[in-house]
Amino acid sequence: MKRQTTLKDVAKAAGVHVSTASRALDPKNRHLITPEAVQRILDVSQQLGYRHNAAAAALRTARSRMIGVVVPDIANPIFPPIIRGIEDSLAQIGYLAIIGNTDNDPVREKSLALKLQERGVDGFILASVELQDDTVAKLAEDGIPIVTVNRRSSNENVSSVVHDDDEGIRRVLTHLASLGHRRIANIAGPQRLSTGADRYAAFERHRKALGLAEEVDLVTFAKGYTESEGERCVEELLVRRQDFSAIVCANDRLAIGAIESLARRGIKCPQGHFDYRLQRYADGRSPETAPDDDPDRTIQHRVPSRRAVDEDDRQRRG
């Protein structure tokens, strides 16, 4: 059986020290030597069929070059673009993302985090956190670099990369008010999650500032970000017999459920003239860029995956 080519073999063939060969083969450190030397070493490594031994490097450096990325629902359309952005950004610095899905189960989140920690990941990017999150508290206590994305934790020692929920909801309500709506209902997200709590708080603040109707019965709370909860919540609003002409939904999936429930009742949302206007707060087109016939215009928000990776990298560097 052919002997596996080692880093020493590459260094000897390229006429450089082993440490120089190591830097050249590491995307994160190759800037420390000249481009000509880097290219020569890369050419030699390819000719010899060298393959980096990640396990050996991890033992030597106590770093796995792997980051645990945990999301609450991989089927939710918001998360694949976030994951891709994280993977692309990590690849640029020689790291690999290990993806885990919790199905919105805190017990599963805790189990996933423990397994990834046991496998030696260098840090975590978490999109699954709740405001009060035991898993985040334990990882922070253990000194593991953590960044939360899309959602934040109430733990002030944990960095978060999130969009501006307050500004987004302000834009939603301002847009609806400009269309003449004064009585606007709200299907708020789960209050145990920062996205639910922050968007609801923003809704209350800005509907008051805009002089919109403030009845308590115009608000209902979803237990989760699902289509079925959107259906349940809109039914609850209708049963209350409150007079409203628009609904703000905390995310796309709640909006989809609400639209389906309204459609079953024969309620237009909207079509030509409207019975109800439905506005969702989620990834997509803004009111300014959506076409006039778009039935449910969307406020755009993009989570900057690169910022999450940069913050995680900063923590790992100390």
Side-chain angles (χ1 to χ4, degrees):
M1 185 173 67
K2 183 180 177 181
R3 184 177 71 87
Q4 185 175 352
T5 301
T6 68
L7 185 62
K8 288 183 179 180
D9 296 330
V10 174
K12 183 177 180 181
V16 298
H17 193 273
V18 173
S19 63
T20 303
S22 176
R23 290 191 184 98
L25 296 172
D26 183 349
K28 198 173 180 180
N29 292 318
R30 60 179 52 148
H31 68 281
L32 297 172
I33 58 179
T34 65
E36 294 78 12
V38 169
Q39 192 57 56
R40 184 171 77 255
I41 294 165
L42 289 174
D43 290 343
V44 168
S45 69
Q46 188 172 8
Q47 292 166 8
L48 296 179
Y50 173 74
R51 295 290 180 270
H52 177 64
N53 189 328
L59 287 173
R60 186 174 65 255
T61 64
R63 290 193 173 186
S64 65
R65 291 193 173 277
M66 297 187 295
I67 300 296
V69 180
V70 182
V71 297
D73 181 4
I74 204 165
N76 188 326
I78 190 178
F79 291 114
I82 292 174
I83 292 170
R84 180 171 182 176
I86 290 171
E87 285 186 318
D88 289 347
S89 297
L90 286 173
Q92 292 175 16
I93 56 174
Y95 276 75
L96 178 70
I98 306 298
I99 313 298
N101 174 58
T102 71
D103 283 334
N104 289 294
D105 182 351
V107 175
R108 186 168 176 177
E109 180 193 52
K110 183 177 181 180
S111 175
L112 272 172
L114 178 60
K115 290 175 181 176
L116 289 168
Q117 193 174 0
E118 288 173 347
R119 282 159 177 74
V121 296
D122 294 333
F124 284 89
I125 298 176
L126 304 175
S128 56
V129 300
E130 298 187 355
L131 279 168
Q132 305 296 327
D133 197 297
D134 293 340
T135 298
V136 169
K138 180 64 167 62
L139 291 173
E141 186 179 295
D142 290 345
I144 305 296
I146 314 165
V147 179
T148 72
V149 67
N150 191 52
R151 300 177 185 173
R152 64 177 178 82
S153 164
S154 60
N155 190 325
E156 295 181 354
N157 296 319
V158 175
S159 298
S160 300
V161 179
V162 297
H163 42 274
D164 190 342
D165 286 320
D166 186 82
E167 173 61 14
I169 293 297
R170 186 196 67 78
R171 289 180 62 195
V172 167
L173 288 175
T174 300
H175 175 65
L176 290 173
S178 74
L179 296 176
H181 297 283
R182 309 309 298 172
R183 297 184 61 79
I184 301 172
N186 180 24
I187 298 180
Q191 297 302 286
R192 69 182 186 281
L193 306 178
S194 66
T195 48
D198 292 347
R199 291 170 195 175
Y200 167 62
F203 178 86
E204 290 295 320
R205 180 163 48 254
H206 292 297
R207 75 168 174 170
K208 181 176 182 178
L210 290 165
L212 305 175
E214 297 183 58
E215 282 90 336
V216 173
D217 282 348
L218 287 174
V219 179
T220 183
F221 296 93
K223 299 173 183 176
Y225 285 126
T226 63
E227 290 84 353
S228 61
E229 274 298 286
E231 293 184 46
R232 182 190 67 79
C233 286
V234 88
E235 292 293 333
E236 184 176 314
L237 287 171
L238 294 172
V239 165
R240 293 174 184 174
R241 298 188 179 279
Q242 284 290 321
D243 179 26
F244 57 88
S245 61
I247 308 173
V248 171
C249 296
N251 86 334
D252 271 356
R253 298 183 71 178
L254 292 174
I256 291 169
I259 290 170
E260 291 175 350
S261 180
L262 291 170
R264 281 198 301 271
R265 287 173 170 259
I267 298 173
K268 300 170 184 176
C269 184
Q271 183 177 334
H273 70 283
F274 56 79
D275 294 322
Y276 286 101
R277 185 75 177 178
L278 189 142
Q279 187 93 26
R280 66 185 188 253
Y281 183 89
D283 196 12
R285 292 165 293 180
S286 69
E288 291 81 1
T289 59
D292 290 338
D293 61 353
D294 185 3
D296 46 0
R297 301 179 182 188
T298 301
I299 290 295
Q300 181 177 8
H301 68 83
R302 299 182 184 278
V303 179
S305 303
R306 177 73 208 188
R307 285 182 57 194
V309 171
D310 287 346
E311 174 59 22
D312 190 80
D313 187 46
R314 184 192 66 76
Q315 291 184 38
R316 281 184 275 108
R317 289 172 178 267

